[in-house]
């Protein structure tokens, strides 16, 4: 552990302002300060020539007008010369804060959209470390570097002609990354803060509570939202976990036991414990429906409050510069009046509707075909095994499963590439909408992959005992695998690494600290973490009435999950950039859609359960009638769900009022501004007349 | 017809500004004008004492600060003294235009939210008749009179104590109407404009085209939206009408004939014309699904364009005064800072969810029970008739139908009252949201009432021939009844009326013209008109694949409907007040929901059709499997529908850009305003310091 090995501030030349191989000059007088905080590390390829490095540094420190990023650069101090350290002057930080639409505490105590001209009325404006969080400062540097553009056709010095050609308005950073000049761009850790955060977060002894504000400040919006959601979700698991335990252990004649019976031999037509089983099915189904609705609605409120607290409820991404990958005909943005590429919305929608959706559909079809093939082969092989019964055929029994797993994996890998290409061809203007559509594509596929088999068992085979067995094994296997990959492997890796590169002394040169940070693997993003939660939530809400122990198992899993995720993030990966966001993005609708599907799935499971079947047969209802009744019940339940969702407002009242206040005041301000500007026009024209 | 009897402008004392029994004085100098346009007529009860009339007039002309309406009043000239004519000074018109958030043409040609202080930059500002439409001017008067409030506890002079007590902040107009002092408040017709409008609208010879802008100017937003929608809907009926005619007459072996066969005798198990019939079913079903989606999406775009054209795309009802019926604890509105009653949103939602929804549910249950009772009695009576076969029992056969009709009507009347009470208890702040929730309640019930029987036949009895017969008879009966009540009766009534009161000569005193207008019945609102369209649309999209002639019949009906509705509105009723609105309100989602239900209904109808059944039986699929397949097909179709809806943006690109421009500029303006106000603060504080 490095908790006692904090580098002392100001001890190295990296924080010195002047001297040989020091920071670039600050262009504006207000930004001169005695202390510069290194924020981002750029690692160059080893083959890069000094002239290229020099050019990159000059671009980063050049003013925005000339296509630069207006940041501070330091050449690093290592022998190889393959590092650039970047920091930001005060003015740049403040201007980008306004561009991003971040809200900060105003002098009246309200969170208010930051405005550079009005900066003196905001709290903490004199101390950038307090005014902006570390994650925000680092994201601002990334944002500025992303918006570096070539002003005219030019060549990057020191790079062979073919790779080094820059067209006018091309993104410089993207080009450098494509050309292999830049290996990676990483925000720097601040060991002191990190150690303190780790102590509060994953080393603590108490079972509950994460330092969410500190996480937000240190790691930024997307990551803080993930952990907030995980926190909230885990807390919400308590009621279903208690119900699940109660049903399993205190209703002895419940599903689990009777299910096992039906598995081995046909159930006797009428048990004494018939009634409680049906009713526990019902209780589980109705409870899980209500629970998932209330959970999602309360999360929305919490999420809205967090976005206010973290100053991101008023982000104005559509008024920012487009994301680097965006292309289109150059023109004047009719809204902001800036010169930038334009791409018509209808073209994008056409591409989504006519290309993306059908292609995704084809891949989903391939998943279904793969499953059908798997079942076909399995039947074939098992018949064969029954016929001959040799060891060879016993081994062959595993073949379909293996083939299916390989097929699924290969398909998944191809799909991942296709999804990225499709989303790129949709040419989204905003980073967040790119992420949204990309994630949606991957999500739908992953989800389908995970649940297709379960749905097949539940609705085509209609084999409840098999579903129960499968669900139990999935849950237990997933947990064991998770615990292993997320706890044991990281721990071993960390031990191993700590003894190697990262075991640095306090008095080692700072450059080694930097290099150690750059050597970690890149953070793979939150997709895997979120999808794990979503699949869990799916098991719980779609099929929980079949296997009531789902919730307690998940609760157990999540309590460790929080800690292992935190540990991973702090210790095992490079720090990721994390954009300021106002919500979980696409994951929120994903959870909501799932909770709607769960109503249908629970209704059908109820309908297909052997006890309900017997019951309807006794009542003399035809299969058709029962189905129609089930459909009606399903629709009524969906109605109840929608009414419940409607009754719980998506944002707390105080937040709605704040939002309306801003809306009202900006409407008023627009009117007043029009008057002022027309008066100025009048004055000008009257002056012009007097001048005649 | 009164087309040649236009009153000449300025011929009566009603337009004179001074003299005995003339208009009240104008309070501000800019509003003085030589010509006053009478806009609204208030009719008092005959028993009202002169002192009460005097008080009402003084309140209407009093300034807003003292609880008045700041309008111009004229005592009228009739003997009975039971009229008050109201007009509006220029300043009041302009101020309320700003309050309503209406947009008008700015000097740069854009529609811009009107601002009183910036009035000189708007086009046509000097001519109120051009600047505001007639309907807008009249609505403004209603708006102002609605907001008249008692400033303290007081008594209305000349009214007995119990009725005449006004509490502080009580709405004066509401009180007067409740106390029976005011019989009704009507906007006045302008005969010249009306005649010209009528000529273009319903007397024209050409089959197509309505003067929508003139309708909007004369009758106002809600009515113009209704006719625009009717127009658009009728035009959209052409494709399904052509398809329907084609299927009926050019595919001789289609549903209709084979359906009749199944009615009289069981169909032979395998026809030669089996295939085309199934395919025409399919074509109809898929076509109607696509058609309804595209129709609604294109209408949304048209509706958005209209709202820009008519200056209502930026209405700010949430920042206006609450509607007169709104009650709550008096407090400061946290957004606008005005003193007004406050009512928490969560309480409203709680009342909706826990009271309104269950009560509506109970009434829907009663409808279903009524229907069940009807079928039960019918079976009983028909069995009885089969047994005895006398004339008496033949008459008895009609009894269940009659009882059911009476039951439905009584239930409908009770429900209408309950719906109003419920909506009132929900205590909506805005008029539009009150209307929305009230209409939704009535709508759901009416719809249920209309379609419950058809759904029962389609899904429980599964009797396609009966459904087809029922649909045909409903369509034909509805049309005959409609044509009769909407064409013949109005025409007769008009003839009858024209020979009586309304046959006024040009030189008759204007007061008689006024009185004639007051004597017409009040306009019953657009609910009946919209629900007629919705039910039509329901027949068409839910069941059209059973009876392909639906669309041509509806087209025929709508072409006359446009004219009769127009005639009715112009001639047979008092002119209604019509608020500026940005869309059709609740009717748009209603049509959309219906078009979603239609996907499900068409899938089920297809599944239940005898031909498809044979087909699946031959293919050896179990009923369960077929149902699961049907559910999957249904979900895929709903997906296709949603993708289509997504691909057609809800508003045209140019409008989206205008909206974003406004958003962007107001954001900028708010920031600038903050700086300005903080500078003013600084100046003040520095002055204060200097003064020390």
């Amino acid at each position: 552990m490095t908790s006692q090995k904090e580098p002392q501030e100001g001890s190295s030349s990296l924080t010195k302002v002047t001297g040989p191989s020091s920071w670039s000059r600050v262009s504006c007088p207000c930004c001169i300060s005695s202390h510069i905080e290194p924020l981002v590390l750029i690692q160059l390829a080893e083959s890069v020539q000094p002239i290229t490095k020099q050019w990159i540094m000059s671009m980063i420190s050049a003013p925005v007008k000339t296509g630069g990023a207006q940041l501070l650069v330091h050449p690093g101090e290592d022998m190889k010369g393959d590092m650039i350290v970047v920091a930001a002057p005060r003015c740049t930080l403040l201007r980008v804060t306004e561009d991003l639409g971040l809200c900060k505490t105003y002098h009246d105590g309200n969170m208010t959209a930051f405005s550079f001209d009005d900066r003196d009325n905001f709290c903490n404006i004199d101390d950038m470390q307090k005014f902006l969080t570390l994650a925000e400062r680092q994201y601002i540097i990334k944002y500025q570097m992303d918006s570096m553009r070539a002003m005219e056709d030019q060549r990057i010095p020191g790079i062979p002609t073919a790779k080094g050609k820059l067209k006018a308005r091309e993104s410089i950073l993207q080009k450098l990354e494509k050309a292999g000049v830049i290996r990676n761009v990483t925000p720097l850790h601040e060991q002191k803060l990190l150690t303190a955060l780790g102590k509060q977060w994953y080393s603590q002894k108490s079972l509950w509570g994460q330092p969410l504000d500190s996480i937000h400040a240190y790691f930024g919006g997307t990551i803080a939202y993930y952990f907030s959601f995980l926190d909230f979700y885990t807390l919400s698991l308590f009621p279903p976990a208690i119900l699940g335990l109660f049903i399993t252990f205190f209703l002895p004649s419940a599903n689990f036991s009777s299910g096992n019976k039906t598995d081995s031999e046909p159930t006797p037509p009428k048990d004494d414990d018939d009634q409680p089983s049906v009713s526990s099915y019902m209780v589980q189904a109705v409870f899980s429906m209500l629970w998932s609705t209330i959970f999602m609605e309360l999360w929305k409120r919490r999420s809205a409050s967090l976005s206010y607290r973290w100053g991101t409820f008023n982000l104005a991404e559509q008024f920012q510069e487009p994301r680097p990958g965006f292309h289109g005909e150059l023109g004047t943005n009719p809204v902001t009046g800036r010169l930038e590429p334009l791409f018509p919305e209808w073209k994008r929608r056409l591409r989504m509707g006519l290309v993306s959706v059908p292609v995704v559909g084809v891949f989903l079809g391939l998943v279904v075909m793969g499953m059908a093939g798997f079942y076909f082969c399995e039947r074939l092989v098992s018949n064969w095994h029954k016929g001959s019964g040799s060891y060879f055929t016993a081994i062959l029994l595993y073949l379909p499963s293996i083939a299916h797993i390989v097929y699924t994996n290969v398909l998944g890998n191809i799909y991942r590439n296709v999804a990225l290409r499709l989303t790129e061809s949709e040419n989204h203007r905003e980073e967040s909408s790119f992420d949204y559509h990309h994630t949606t594509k991957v999500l739908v596929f992953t989800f389908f992959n995970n649940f297709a088999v379960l749905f097949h068992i539940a609705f085509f085979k209609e084999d409840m005992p098999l579903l129960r067995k499968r669900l139990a094994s999935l849950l237990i296997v997933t947990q064991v695998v998770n615990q292993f990959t997320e706890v044991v492997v990281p721990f071993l890796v960390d031990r191993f690494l700590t003894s190697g590169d990262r075991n640095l002394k306090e008095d080692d040169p700072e450059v080694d600290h930097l290099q150690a940070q750059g050597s970690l693997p890149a953070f793979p993003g939150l997709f895997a973490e979120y999808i794990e939660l979503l699949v869990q939530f799916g098991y719980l809400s779609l099929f929980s009435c079949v296997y009531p122990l789902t919730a307690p198992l998940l609760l157990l899993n999540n309590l460790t999950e929080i800690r292992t995720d935190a540990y991973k993030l702090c210790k095992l990966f490079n720090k990721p950039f994390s954009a300021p966001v106002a919500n979980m993005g696409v994951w929120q609708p994903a959870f909501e859609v799932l909770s709607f599907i769960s109503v249908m799935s629970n209704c059908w499971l109820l309908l297909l359960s052997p006890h309900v079947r017997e019951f309807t047969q006794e009542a003399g209802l035809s299969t058709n009638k029962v189905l129609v009744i089930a459909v009606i019940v399903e629709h009524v339940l969906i109605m109840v769900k929608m009414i419940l969702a409607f009754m719980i407002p998506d944002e707390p009242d105080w937040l709605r009022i704040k939002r309306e206040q801003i809306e009202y005041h900006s409407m008023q301000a627009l009117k007043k501004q029009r008057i002022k500007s027309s008066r100025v026009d009048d004055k000008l024209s009257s002056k012009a007349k007097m001048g005649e």
Side-chain angles (χ1 to χ4, degrees), chain A:
Chain A
M1 296 284 156
T2 56
S3 59
Q4 277 123 32
K5 292 155 201 164
E6 304 145 18
Q8 279 166 5
E9 267 183 64
S11 64
S12 136
S13 79
L14 256 178
T15 52
K16 276 183 213 153
V17 176
T18 50
S21 81
S22 73
W23 289 98
S24 57
R25 288 289 164 89
V26 183
S27 55
C28 81
C30 69
C31 296
I32 293 171
S33 102
S34 61
H35 172 80
I36 291 175
E37 178 194 36
L39 286 169
V40 171
L41 176 72
I42 300 176
Q43 287 186 296
L44 304 176
E46 291 184 20
S47 59
V48 169
Q49 295 178 17
I51 185 170
T52 313
K53 184 174 174 182
Q54 205 55 47
W55 181 79
I56 296 173
M57 284 175 63
S58 74
M59 282 313 293
I60 294 176
S61 59
V64 172
K65 272 177 291 179
T66 60
Q70 209 152 3
L71 296 168
L72 302 174
V73 282
H74 189 285
E77 295 170 324
D78 61 334
M79 297 299 106
K80 287 184 265 171
D82 62 351
M83 281 205 271
I84 300 176
V85 182
V86 187
R90 186 166 172 266
C91 281
T92 308
L93 286 175
L94 293 181
R95 283 196 191 280
V96 179
T97 305
E98 175 170 3
D99 279 359
L100 292 175
L102 285 179
C103 295
K104 291 286 161 191
T105 318
Y106 204 57
H107 68 78
D108 60 3
N110 285 323
M111 294 301 271
T112 308
F114 179 72
S115 152
F116 183 76
D117 295 328
D118 192 22
R119 57 187 178 279
D120 295 333
N121 282 313
F122 284 85
C123 299
N124 294 324
I125 193 71
D126 297 320
D127 186 354
M128 281 300 110
Q129 255 93 339
K130 272 190 194 162
F131 182 69
L132 292 164
T133 67
L134 177 65
E136 281 166 354
R137 295 195 298 273
Q138 288 172 333
Y139 181 76
I140 285 172
I141 287 188
K142 179 177 150 50
Y143 178 83
Q144 277 298 82
M145 291 202 300
D146 274 341
S147 58
M148 286 194 300
R149 276 165 209 288
M151 299 310 276
E152 55 199 2
D153 289 7
Q154 66 183 108
R155 252 171 48 74
I156 303 174
I159 306 280
T161 345
K163 276 184 176 178
K165 243 186 182 170
L166 265 171
K167 272 181 226 143
R169 290 204 53 80
E170 208 176 341
S171 163
I172 293 177
L173 197 74
Q174 255 203 339
K175 186 79 188 178
L176 288 171
E177 276 173 346
K178 262 190 202 158
V181 176
I182 290 182
R183 269 194 299 152
N184 81 57
V185 180
T186 336
L188 288 169
H189 273 300
E190 206 172 297
Q191 289 301 336
K192 210 166 148 188
L193 280 175
L194 183 63
T195 315
L197 182 65
K199 246 185 211 157
Q200 281 182 67
W201 200 3
Y202 55 85
S203 311
Q204 60 165 351
K205 294 287 165 287
S206 79
L207 205 63
W208 204 253
Q210 296 180 69
L212 292 177
D213 282 332
S214 310
I215 297 171
H216 173 256
Y218 194 83
F219 281 107
T222 45
I223 288 171
Y225 262 103
Y226 167 72
F227 282 99
S228 308
F229 181 72
L230 184 54
D231 201 69
F232 192 81
Y233 173 50
T234 309
L235 187 63
S236 317
L237 276 176
F238 275 104
I242 291 165
L243 182 74
L245 288 175
F246 182 79
I247 284 180
T248 314
F249 296 111
F250 294 91
L251 294 178
S253 57
N255 315 319
F256 199 58
S257 52
S258 70
N260 278 349
K261 262 186 241 158
T262 46
D263 194 24
S264 48
E265 76 239 7
T267 336
K270 235 191 157 184
D271 281 355
D272 279 340
D273 52 32
D274 205 1
Q275 206 48 43
S277 184
V278 172
S279 71
S280 85
Y281 256 79
M282 300 271 267
V283 167
Q284 276 280 132
V286 170
F287 176 85
S288 107
M289 187 200 82
L290 294 179
W291 172 79
S292 66
T293 315
I294 294 174
F295 160 59
M296 277 318 292
E297 290 302 311
L298 292 181
W299 164 249
K300 275 190 221 162
R301 288 170 72 92
R302 173 129 179 87
S303 163
S305 310
L306 286 176
S307 81
Y308 182 80
R309 188 189 181 91
W310 292 339
T312 55
F313 70 111
N314 204 19
L315 293 179
E317 219 181 356
Q318 74 268 38
F319 304 138
Q320 288 170 22
E321 286 264 315
R323 64 183 202 90
F326 182 68
H327 52 87
E329 268 181 65
L330 210 64
T332 315
N333 184 324
V335 177
T336 57
R338 239 175 304 181
L339 193 75
E340 61 180 41
L342 299 177
F343 188 77
E345 178 70 22
W346 61 265
K347 242 187 197 169
R348 181 175 306 131
R349 290 189 184 224
L350 223 62
R351 284 189 189 173
M352 282 192 229
L354 299 184
V355 182
S356 301
V357 173
V359 170
V360 172
V362 165
F363 272 89
L364 296 186
L366 286 176
V367 171
V368 173
M369 271 175 56
M371 201 177 63
F374 162 68
Y375 280 112
F376 178 75
C377 292
E378 203 184 38
R379 214 168 38 229
L380 209 74
V381 172
S382 80
N383 284 342
W384 197 14
H385 179 64
K386 270 182 202 157
S388 68
S390 71
Y391 273 112
F392 175 67
T393 54
I395 293 167
L396 266 188
L397 276 179
Y398 291 92
L399 203 66
S401 297
I402 294 169
H404 187 231
I405 289 170
V406 169
Y407 174 79
T408 308
N409 272 319
V410 170
L411 199 65
N413 282 330
I414 298 174
Y415 181 78
R416 225 161 291 144
N417 278 317
V418 170
L420 190 66
R421 292 273 177 82
L422 284 175
T423 318
E424 265 165 12
S425 88
E426 285 164 17
N427 198 17
H428 294 277
R429 190 183 175 283
E430 282 102 38
E431 198 65 55
S432 67
S433 105
F434 179 89
D435 283 349
Y436 194 99
H437 285 98
H438 182 221
T439 311
T440 310
K441 286 191 188 66
V442 183
L443 174 62
V444 168
F445 183 81
T446 315
F447 187 80
F448 215 76
N449 237 342
N450 270 293
F451 285 94
V453 175
L454 292 180
F455 273 111
H456 180 265
I457 294 173
F459 302 123
F460 277 81
K461 285 195 154 181
E462 296 172 8
D463 187 350
M464 291 305 113
L466 181 61
L467 179 64
R468 196 171 300 124
K469 263 167 40 187
R470 185 95 189 209
L471 205 56
S473 66
L474 267 174
L475 281 169
I476 291 162
V477 168
T478 315
Q479 288 206 38
V480 170
V481 171
N482 272 348
Q483 298 311 330
F484 186 74
T485 54
E486 300 194 359
V487 186
V488 183
V489 174
F491 189 74
L492 291 178
V493 169
D494 187 51
R495 280 283 120 147
F496 175 70
L497 271 178
T498 314
S499 62
D501 301 357
R502 292 175 63 225
N503 204 356
L504 296 164
K505 298 264 149 36
E506 208 175 305
D507 49 348
D508 279 345
E510 196 171 359
V511 60
D512 289 347
H513 282 279
L514 289 182
Q515 218 137 27
Q517 281 196 31
S519 69
L520 288 174
F523 184 68
L526 291 166
F527 185 85
E529 311 294 333
Y530 269 123
I531 198 90
E532 194 188 321
L533 290 190
L534 188 75
V535 168
Q536 278 192 5
F537 184 74
Y539 291 149
L540 179 60
S541 59
L542 296 175
F543 306 110
S544 78
C545 68
V546 179
Y547 185 57
L549 274 183
T550 312
L553 284 174
L554 291 183
L555 182 61
L556 213 69
N557 180 62
N558 281 5
L559 282 175
T560 54
E561 177 89 22
I562 291 176
R563 274 151 200 84
T564 52
D565 280 352
Y567 184 74
K568 232 165 57 179
L569 191 64
C570 292
K571 293 280 176 180
L572 303 182
F573 292 105
N574 264 341
K575 190 179 175 193
F577 285 107
S578 160
V581 288
N583 50 49
M584 294 204 295
V586 74
W587 297 100
Q588 192 157 304
F591 275 87
E592 274 181 276
V593 168
L594 201 54
S595 93
F596 265 95
I597 299 177
S598 84
V599 176
M600 305 180 208
S601 124
N602 278 315
C603 277
W604 287 94
L605 284 179
L606 221 68
L607 187 73
L608 296 176
S609 76
H611 302 293
V612 173
R613 284 211 169 156
E614 275 164 33
F615 181 75
T616 53
Q617 270 166 17
E618 274 165 37
L621 294 164
S622 79
T623 328
N624 259 357
K625 288 260 152 52
V626 173
L627 267 163
V628 170
I629 291 171
V631 169
I632 292 173
V633 168
E634 182 207 310
H635 283 65
V636 169
L637 287 179
I638 287 182
M639 282 279 292
V640 170
K641 207 175 164 68
M642 281 162 68
I643 291 164
L644 245 180
F646 165 82
M647 273 172 60
I648 306 174
D650 285 358
E651 48 183 14
D653 261 16
W654 61 266
L655 190 60
R656 186 179 51 81
I657 289 169
K658 295 245 187 235
R659 209 173 25 75
E660 284 184 358
Q661 274 173 345
I662 292 173
E663 214 176 301
Y664 181 69
H665 288 308
S666 44
M667 209 178 75
Q668 301 294 339
L670 181 64
K671 284 179 185 166
K672 279 198 187 130
Q673 197 204 17
R674 279 208 316 263
I675 303 166
K676 222 182 70 187
S677 65
S678 76
R679 275 192 202 139
V680 171
D681 288 352
D682 287 354
K683 268 185 201 162
L684 286 177
S685 63
S686 64
K687 267 186 195 167
K689 271 180 197 165
M690 278 162 71
E692 270 170 15

